[in-house]
Amino acid sequence: MFEASAMVQAMNDTTHHVNSARPSAPASRVRSRGHGRGDPLRRGTATLLRRLADRVEPRRARPCTTATA
């Protein structure tokens, strides 16, 4: 399906990216990371995703013990 809005967004992003290398491009500050352990929302999301991955991950099959003699 053709998405016109996606095409417009891609064109705008490409134009911004290409023009950012020009000498007359406006300078933007690089955000520095804060001290500490980071944003609580980000940490909470990471914890939630890790727990979900642990729950969804397949477990190892148990070895067969019926053929022991």
Side-chain angles (χ1 to χ4, degrees), residues 16 20 25-31:
H16 176 72
S20 67
S28 61
R29 280 187 355 170
V30 176
R31 295 189 322 176

Side-chain angles (χ1 to χ4, degrees), residues 4 11 15 23 31 38-39 45 50-51 54 57 59 65 68:
M11 189 65 181
T15 303
R31 295 189 322 176
D39 183 22
T45 304
R50 182 72 251 164
R51 287 182 184 169
D54 288 342
E57 183 177 314
R59 302 189 191 278
T65 57
T68 58

Side-chain angles (χ1 to χ4, degrees), residues 2-31:
F2 181 74
E3 290 286 335
S5 60
M7 190 172 109
V8 170
Q9 183 65 38
M11 189 65 181
N12 289 340
D13 290 344
T14 302
T15 303
H16 176 72
H17 176 69
V18 169
N19 288 336
S20 67
R22 298 178 58 90
S24 61
S28 61
R29 280 187 355 170
V30 176
R31 295 189 322 176

